[in-house]
Every structure is written in C-alpha cells, then in structure tokens.
C-alpha cells in the first residue's frame, strides 16, 4: 500500500511539473530581436552603420545618429552606382581607423576616414584638399568591399554615368564634380590638405595622369576631394588609385553625365 501511494505521489509530481512547463512554454514571450537583426542576417552583408542614405534629409538623419554613436564621425560619403554609402570618420592620426570600422571594432577593411590634417565642416571651412582613405579587396575587384568599387571608374561607360560624388557634413549637403580618375605612385603628393603649389597645380598633375579627359576646370579657390585606395595593378605597395573631384558651388548645376573621352598616354 505504501509503495502504491509513493508511486502515485511521484506521478502527481511529474504531472504538475509537466503542466508547469507547458504553461511557461504557452505563455512565454519570444525574446525581442535587436533592431538590426533579421532572419537573413547570416547570409546578407551587414553595414557598420544604422542605415544608408538616399536623400539629403536621409544624410542628415544618418549623420545625426552616427555622431551620437561615434563622435569621430565627420561626414557622409556616397558614390552613385556603388555600395559606397557610409559615414566617414576622422581621428588624431591616420593609423587609428586603418583597421577599425565605424563602430571602433577591429576590422581588416577598416572604414572610410579623412586625413587627420584636414578640416571638415562648413563648405567654406573645408581644407583646400580633403582626402578620404579606404581599403580595397584583393585583385582590385570592382565588386569587392569598401573602396574596391572605385575601380568601376576604370570602365568608360560607368565613368560617363557617374559625374558626381556626394560628400556631406552636418553643416551641409555637398556635390563634387569628378575631374580625374588615375593610378599613381606615392611620389605624387596628392594627400596634402593644403597642397604646396595650390590646388590648381595638384589638379593639373592629376589630370595629366587621368584615364579620361573630363574637360573640367579647377580654380585656385576651389575645394578638392580625393578618394584614395591601394592597387595591386603594379604588384607593389607603392601605387594608389584615386578619384578626384571639385566642390560645386551652391549655384552650379549638378551634371547628369560626364562628357569624357579616354586620354592617350594615361596610365591604365
């Protein structure tokens, strides 16, 4: 009799336990997903920023958020026809963000960052030459990561369809008209925030090296933007690929296409 009662007691306890577990499973809420998490997260490439930007309003909204996350955020860069649509950082030297992303995390591809000597803000306060650096994938793959996609400019039709770069700050949305796309070795000092011979001399040398003749004039008071990445084309670490543009004034019309032709004798 005692054994039968003991068995019944164990059975009752098991029923209660199972009922309790069922109750918990029935009414337990799912753990909320992080706002940046999705079911396809593992298979989709992830941005290191909250969102990409499609309009000037989007840029200001995205910049406002990125600055709140990382105070080193100074601007937003978009190159039409590519995935380059991200915040741009600036540190006390050019080494800090070499292998860190927009969130300050270790990342072999780093992030887009402005040369530490450049002044960034209102258009009139910009350095004569603003240099933005970024890494590229092996083989100069135009479909690769980060500034790899600048190599799309080696395609004439892409270059014709992409006459303008957008690099903006919280102080204003800015359009930059491309005037040179070129390979160079590091002996060309295109990475000076205030070029010793002025922006016109630097721009003239860039135009001489350019794959295309853009027919764009650069004036002494112009502000210049240089997007720079390494290239494996020459099999060494001494060469770079650069896209260079001038800041359009607020009164200038933004071109829809580039009227360009290949240049004879340009490095290609």
């Amino acid at each position: 009799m005692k054994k039968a009662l003991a068995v019944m007691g164990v059975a009752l306890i098991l029923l209660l336990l199972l009922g309790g577990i069922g109750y918990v499973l029935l009414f337990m809420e799912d753990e909320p997903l992080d706002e940046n998490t999705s079911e396809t997260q593992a298979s989709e490439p992830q941005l290191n920023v909250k969102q990409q930007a499609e309009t000037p309003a989007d840029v200001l909204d995205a910049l406002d958020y990125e600055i709140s996350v990382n105070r080193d955020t100074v601007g937003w860069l978009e190159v039409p026809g590519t995935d380059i649509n991200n915040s741009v950082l600036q540190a006390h030297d050019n080494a800090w963000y070499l292998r860190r992303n927009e969130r300050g995390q270790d990342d072999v591809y780093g992030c887009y960052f402005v040369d530490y000597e450049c002044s960034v803000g209102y258009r009139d306060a910009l350095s004569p030459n603003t240099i933005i650096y970024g890494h590229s994938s092996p083989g100069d793959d135009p479909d690769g990561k980060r500034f790899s996609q600048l190599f799309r400019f080696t395609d004439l039709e892409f270059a014709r369809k992409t006459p303008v770069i957008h690099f903006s700050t919280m102080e204003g949305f800015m359009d930059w008209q491309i005037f040179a796309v070129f390979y160079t070795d590091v002996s060309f000092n295109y990475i000076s925030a205030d070029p010793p011979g002025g922006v016109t001399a630097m721009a003239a040398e860039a135009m001489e090296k350019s794959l295309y003749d853009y027919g764009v004039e650069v004036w002494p008071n112009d502000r210049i933007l240089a997007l720079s990445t390494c290239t494996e084309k020459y099999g060494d670490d001494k060469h770079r690929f650069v896209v260079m543009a001038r800041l359009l004034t607020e009164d200038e019309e933004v071109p829809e296409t580039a009227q360009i032709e290949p240049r004879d004798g340009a490095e290609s």
Side-chain angles (χ1 to χ4, degrees):
M1 184 68 177
K2 289 182 178 180
K3 183 178 290 188
L5 288 173
V7 171
M8 290 177 62
V10 170
L12 181 60
I13 292 171
L14 286 173
L15 285 172
L16 289 172
L17 285 173
L18 289 173
I21 292 171
Y23 180 88
V24 170
L25 290 175
L26 181 63
F27 293 99
M28 181 175 63
E29 293 184 2
D30 292 333
E31 183 178 351
L33 294 174
D34 181 85
E35 62 180 353
N36 293 321
T37 302
S38 69
E39 292 180 358
T40 59
Q41 186 177 41
S43 60
E44 293 183 354
Q46 294 298 299
L47 300 170
N48 292 318
V49 291
K50 183 180 179 182
Q51 65 187 54
Q52 292 194 313
E54 297 180 2
T55 67
D58 290 341
V59 169
L60 292 178
D61 182 56
L63 268 177
D64 186 59
Y65 177 81
E66 293 305 316
I67 290 171
S68 73
V69 174
N70 189 337
R71 300 297 296 179
D72 287 343
T73 304
V74 295
W76 193 273
L77 176 66
E78 181 198 358
V79 180
T82 75
D83 295 329
I84 302 168
N85 189 342
N86 288 73
S87 59
V88 179
L89 290 294
Q90 186 180 39
H92 57 283
D93 60 33
N94 287 337
W96 183 255
Y97 281 109
L98 196 62
R99 300 296 179 186
R100 290 183 174 92
N101 63 26
E102 292 87 347
R103 295 292 182 262
Q105 302 163 329
D106 291 341
D107 190 326
V108 68
Y109 282 99
C111 64
Y112 306 119
F113 64 96
V114 176
D115 192 286
Y116 78 102
E117 292 188 324
C118 292
S119 174
V120 183
Y122 289 99
R123 60 173 55 227
D124 292 338
L126 294 171
S127 297
N129 184 31
T130 300
I131 310 99
I132 300 178
Y133 304 104
H135 288 296
S136 53
S137 298
D140 297 354
D141 180 6
D143 295 321
K145 295 183 178 181
R146 296 293 185 180
F147 269 176
S148 296
Q149 296 189 23
L150 291 182
F151 292 107
R152 294 183 185 183
F153 281 98
T154 61
D155 177 77
L156 178 61
E157 291 309 309
F158 178 86
R160 281 178 173 158
K161 292 187 296 185
T162 315
V164 171
I165 295 166
H166 309 295
F167 173 61
S168 306
T169 70
M170 283 298 290
E171 288 72 35
F173 188 84
M174 291 177 260
D175 298 303
W176 304 74
Q177 184 179 18
I178 298 169
F179 64 81
V181 171
F182 59 95
Y183 292 94
T184 184
D185 60 39
V186 294
S187 64
F188 176 27
N189 185 21
Y190 67 91
I191 60 171
S192 172
D194 191 3
V199 296
T200 52
M202 183 189 69
E205 186 169 353
M207 291 177 190
E208 283 295 314
K209 294 175 177 289
S210 181
L211 302 180
Y212 316 113
D213 180 0
Y214 276 86
V216 174
E217 292 190 73
V218 175
W219 304 96
N221 292 328
D222 276 341
R223 298 303 202 276
I224 302 302
L225 178 68
L227 308 184
S228 175
T229 193
C230 294
T231 175
E232 294 184 355
K233 181 179 177 64
Y234 300 92
D236 58 35
D237 60 357
K238 304 295 184 184
H239 283 80
R240 304 290 184 267
F241 184 71
V242 184
V243 177
M244 196 170 279
R246 62 175 287 270
L247 177 60
L248 292 171
T249 67
E250 294 175 291
D251 297 327
E252 288 183 280
E253 185 176 348
V254 179
E256 295 184 0
T257 59
Q259 305 302 313
I260 60 176
E261 295 297 333
R263 285 190 66 257
D264 294 334
E267 290 187 72
S268 60

